[in-house]
Amino acid sequence: MLRGRDALQREQALARAGSQPLQAWSAVPLTQSPDYSRRSVAGARPLGPVIQLGNSLLDEQPGARLLLPVRLADDSMLLLDLGWLADSRPQPALLLPPQLRGQWLPWHGRWTLPGARSGVAGRVDEVAMASLPQVYPGRWRQGVLVLQPALPGLQMWPLQPPLSAQRHFAYALQWAVLALCLLLLLRPRRWRKG
């Protein structure tokens, strides 16, 4: 149920933001949380190497989301989602245009197994978000700006959750019905006679 509620909130926030005009990043206070808004950013400069977030399936193909920590014109820092790259393709040259457009989303952590590689450079299984300010000291913005469109040679990472809220709710209902059936089958005989 909780996953369904989270997915529903994200779907609703994306729908609201999709109907709003593109806003300049310069008006965003440093303390503001990601609000799914569509933003334009000028003059972003890379801080370090690309982070390849592996194990990112898109249309059932293995690949990686390419993430880049950048410094913005106001000297704050932000993580950009440049797009998705299939494992079978070489990484293209990644040049940031002077003007970027994207949607500002909260960062969603991943479920990883023990031994997963966490980091802020190279190919990782999860981004060590808490380490970004240690590696790149300064004023960090929350969340990630998912570029729309993705950089040339990359595919845009979908903004919608992979499972809709309705599918989460249906799944929860299915388990509730199965549990009820199991309770009815396993109840003591004396309850059946009464």
Side-chain angles (χ1 to χ4, degrees):
M1 272 313 233
L2 294 176
R3 286 186 183 182
R5 187 198 66 208
D6 291 345
L8 181 61
Q9 288 174 346
R10 183 173 177 148
E11 289 171 4
Q12 290 171 340
L14 285 168
R16 281 190 305 271
S19 65
Q20 299 296 318
L22 190 67
Q23 301 171 33
W25 189 268
S26 57
V28 178
L30 185 64
T31 57
Q32 183 172 331
S33 296
D35 59 3
Y36 297 88
S37 58
R38 295 175 43 236
R39 297 284 176 176
S40 66
V41 176
R45 299 176 317 277
L47 287 170
V50 168
I51 305 166
Q52 297 178 359
L53 184 58
N55 300 318
S56 298
L57 295 176
L58 185 60
D59 297 329
E60 299 181 17
Q61 290 185 43
R65 289 171 70 180
L66 302 187
L67 306 165
L68 182 66
V70 296
R71 184 177 306 276
L72 303 177
D74 67 357
D75 209 35
S76 65
M77 289 165 274
L78 177 69
L79 191 62
L80 295 181
D81 187 328
L82 306 175
W84 179 86
L85 181 67
D87 282 346
S88 60
R89 299 189 55 204
Q91 182 174 311
L94 301 173
L95 301 173
L96 292 180
Q99 187 78 23
L100 300 167
R101 290 187 346 233
Q103 199 139 3
W104 189 30
L105 305 178
W107 178 256
H108 291 281
R110 303 177 86 174
W111 294 90
T112 55
L113 297 173
R117 185 174 165 189
S118 179
V120 294
R123 189 156 182 118
V124 298
D125 299 311
E126 70 176 339
V127 177
M129 295 300 279
S131 296
L132 280 173
Q134 295 167 358
V135 176
Y136 306 109
R139 301 173 305 135
W140 273 89
R141 302 276 182 168
Q142 298 176 44
V144 60
L145 185 69
V146 180
L147 297 188
Q148 298 175 322
L151 289 186
L154 303 177
Q155 287 181 263
M156 194 177 99
W157 185 254
L159 299 178
Q160 289 290 344
L163 291 177
S164 70
Q166 286 74 26
R167 286 186 65 188
H168 281 291
F169 292 136
Y171 188 67
L173 179 62
Q174 171 189 347
W175 278 104
V177 169
L178 286 172
L180 179 62
C181 290
L182 186 61
L183 283 173
L184 291 174
L185 287 173
L186 297 178
R187 70 182 179 174
R189 274 193 179 269
R190 60 185 154 92
W191 289 2
R192 293 183 192 160
K193 291 182 180 179

